[in-house]
Amino acid sequence: MAESGDTGPCEGTPAAESYPKKILEYMEGFLISKTVFTSCELGVFDVLLGAERPLSAEEISEVVGASLDGMQRLLAACTGLQLLNAHTENGQVLYSNTEQARVYLTRSGPLSLYQSIQYSSRTIYLCWHYLTDAIREGRNQYEKAFGVSSEDLFQALYRSDEEMVKFMQLMNSIWNICGKDVVTAFDLSPFKIICDLGGCSGALAKQCTSAYPECTVTIFDLPKVVRTSREHFVTESDQRISFHQGDFFKDPLPEADLYILARILHDWPDERCIELLSRVYKACRPGGAVLLVEALLHEDGSGPLTAQLYSLNMLVQTEGRERTAAQYVALLAAAGFTNIQHRLTGKIYDAVLGHKETDS
Ligand code: SAM
Ligand code: ASE
């Protein structure tokens, strides 16, 4: 066998069989997640942002009301994770945010992931406690994790107003980071009247109106989501964006040239996807189209890891799954759409476009 000398154990690079590096990393991966969750929840990055200079563990623990010993360990771990810089001055360690922590982990700011981290910490993490049960049973875990019925998916997801707002903030935040790529993956400029089905508080709608100056977007969502969007998210200050409330499985859909379904189909099993897409097909103007925005799996299921893990999350949290482009093509074709193409963006979310023929 081609067992070369340099694969054997030596200092710094132990052989794979004597040091299971990946397994140890995976086994304790949640320690990293929880360190980030807790640092955000305590406001460590916000305190450092507000200060004009690097701060000591004493100063930070005092502001956030934490034990000094606990805070010292947390700050050290954040330094190891390259979220904080540690400088030593006169024998005292002082901390400041790294650039990534400042941009993404502080509470406000256009690219903040703070609310998503809160949702991961307070909701997703608790659901994943029951991943084993989810795999055995093949279903979501709201009853065990939160004591609510999972019969109506969005009643479970929106089990309180607070939970709904947190979910909406989670939905919002990724489009500041990946939104432009998904709305420009295809040239959507021919479509002037756009309907974003399940468009939530309108973060992707805003990306559309800024990429396509001639379009208008109607956000279609459940009544309480529309009400909350108007109260908390002030999207209608953009004259080209409006809301329409209803149930996309039951109520008439607004007429449009293009329907966007972003992270909608991955919530539902195939039958419900086809039911919804068939309604979209009927409402769509001839010559119009539907744009799916989803995290596409490779055709052989071999990746990307993010989509594979998200598919597990869809199991614990929804009735759906992540799918391959071919699986979305099949769903679109079953509803009547033709000339279906997909584009990968290189970020988390990709785009699939299907057309309704002019003469049908
Ligand atoms: N499209 C948004 C995005 O990608 O950020 C939100 C996706 S979120 C996973 C699903 C959205 O569908 C939520 O805003 C939810 O309120 C909406 N929704 C769920 N069931 C619905 C229904 N029956 N009718 C209308 N909207 C619905
Ligand atoms: C949904 C999307 C999400 C339903 C529940 C959800 C996300 C988290 N929970 O349609 C966003 C994607 N992130 C993950 C971890 O799946």
Side-chain angles (χ1 to χ4, degrees):
M1 299 301 283
E3 191 54 46
S4 71
D6 60 7
T7 59
C10 70
E11 213 180 338
T13 56
E17 67 275 17
S18 68
Y19 187 70
K21 184 171 182 289
K22 271 194 200 132
I23 306 235
L24 291 172
E25 268 175 29
Y26 298 166
M27 181 172 84
E28 294 171 354
F30 78 98
L31 306 190
I32 296 179
S33 301
K34 282 293 279 183
T35 301
V36 178
F37 297 169
T38 292
S39 305
C40 284
E41 277 167 8
L42 288 172
V44 167
F45 307 108
D46 291 300
V47 169
L48 289 170
L49 179 72
E52 305 279 272
R53 55 175 179 81
L55 299 179
S56 66
E58 283 82 355
E59 291 171 309
I60 299 168
S61 61
E62 211 155 280
V63 180
V64 310
S67 72
L68 175 58
D69 175 48
M71 186 54 73
Q72 281 169 332
R73 298 186 206 199
L74 187 66
L75 297 171
C78 285
T79 309
L81 290 171
Q82 300 177 11
L83 300 176
L84 296 179
N85 300 309
H87 335 250
T88 306
E89 242 178 63
N90 308 321
Q92 196 185 30
V93 188
L94 298 177
Y95 295 93
S96 62
N97 287 327
T98 58
E99 186 59 12
Q100 293 238 331
R102 183 183 66 76
V103 173
Y104 298 105
L105 299 179
T106 54
R107 195 187 272 266
S108 40
L111 300 180
S112 176
L113 289 172
Y114 183 93
Q115 304 296 344
S116 303
I117 287 166
Q118 282 256 315
Y119 191 82
S120 288
S121 172
R122 305 274 177 87
T123 300
I124 299 178
Y125 190 80
L126 305 183
C127 291
W128 277 63
H129 185 69
Y130 298 100
L131 180 62
T132 309
D133 303 69
I135 305 290
R136 283 216 174 91
E137 298 165 13
R139 52 169 305 152
N140 68 52
Q141 295 295 311
Y142 290 105
E143 283 170 20
K144 285 196 210 75
F146 304 108
V148 296
S149 161
S150 55
E151 200 171 321
D152 179 325
L153 172 62
F154 277 84
Q155 254 175 36
L157 269 162
Y158 299 161
R159 57 198 168 277
S160 67
D161 283 354
E162 193 199 350
E163 193 61 33
M164 182 175 72
V165 172
K166 276 201 295 173
F167 183 80
M168 292 173 70
Q169 286 167 330
L170 166 84
M171 288 299 113
N172 237 327
S173 58
I174 197 70
W175 299 130
N176 298 322
I177 296 169
C178 306
K180 182 158 188 246
D181 299 73
V182 303
V183 301
T184 59
F186 290 96
D187 175 15
L188 304 178
S189 61
F191 307 111
K192 307 295 183 226
I193 302 173
I194 299 178
C195 176
D196 189 357
L197 286 175
C200 205
S201 58
L204 198 58
K206 274 188 214 151
Q207 296 290 334
C208 284
T209 55
S210 70
Y212 302 103
E214 289 175 31
C215 77
T216 59
V217 186
T218 303
I219 297 159
F220 185 99
D221 213 302
L222 297 168
K224 64 180 184 174
V225 172
V226 169
R227 201 178 328 117
T228 307
S229 295
R230 288 184 166 137
E231 274 167 28
H232 290 259
F233 294 86
V234 297
T235 308
E236 273 172 320
S237 57
D238 182 338
Q239 298 291 308
R240 295 188 289 135
I241 295 178
S242 59
F243 287 98
H244 186 123
Q245 64 182 48
D247 179 331
F248 54 44
F249 286 117
K250 294 194 184 122
D251 295 321
L253 304 179
E255 198 175 296
D257 303 318
L258 177 73
Y259 294 85
I260 298 178
L261 283 81
R263 298 190 285 185
I264 303 300
L265 298 188
H266 78 165
D267 290 333
W268 305 105
D270 288 359
E271 321 78 80
R272 301 226 72 195
C273 292
I274 295 171
E275 189 187 327
L276 178 56
L277 290 174
S278 302
R279 303 192 86 230
V280 173
Y281 186 82
K282 285 201 190 83
C284 188
R285 296 199 183 151
V290 60
L291 181 78
L292 307 181
V293 176
E294 299 283 0
L296 295 181
L297 283 165
H298 299 158
E299 291 306 330
D300 63 359
S302 65
L305 177 61
T306 302
Q308 293 166 328
L309 295 173
Y310 280 16
S311 200
L312 285 175
N313 193 49
M314 291 305 106
L315 178 64
V316 294
Q317 279 213 286
T318 73
E319 295 174 16
R321 60 190 311 109
E322 303 301 351
R323 295 178 174 89
T324 64
Q327 288 172 323
Y328 285 116
V329 170
L331 296 174
L332 287 164
F337 290 99
T338 54
N339 182 18
I340 305 161
Q341 296 165 276
H342 73 275
R343 299 261 161 89
L344 302 179
T345 69
K347 296 189 182 168
I348 300 176
Y349 293 105
D350 306 302
V352 184
L353 188 69
H355 295 83
K356 175 165 172 170
E357 277 165 21
T358 320
D359 55 344
S360 54

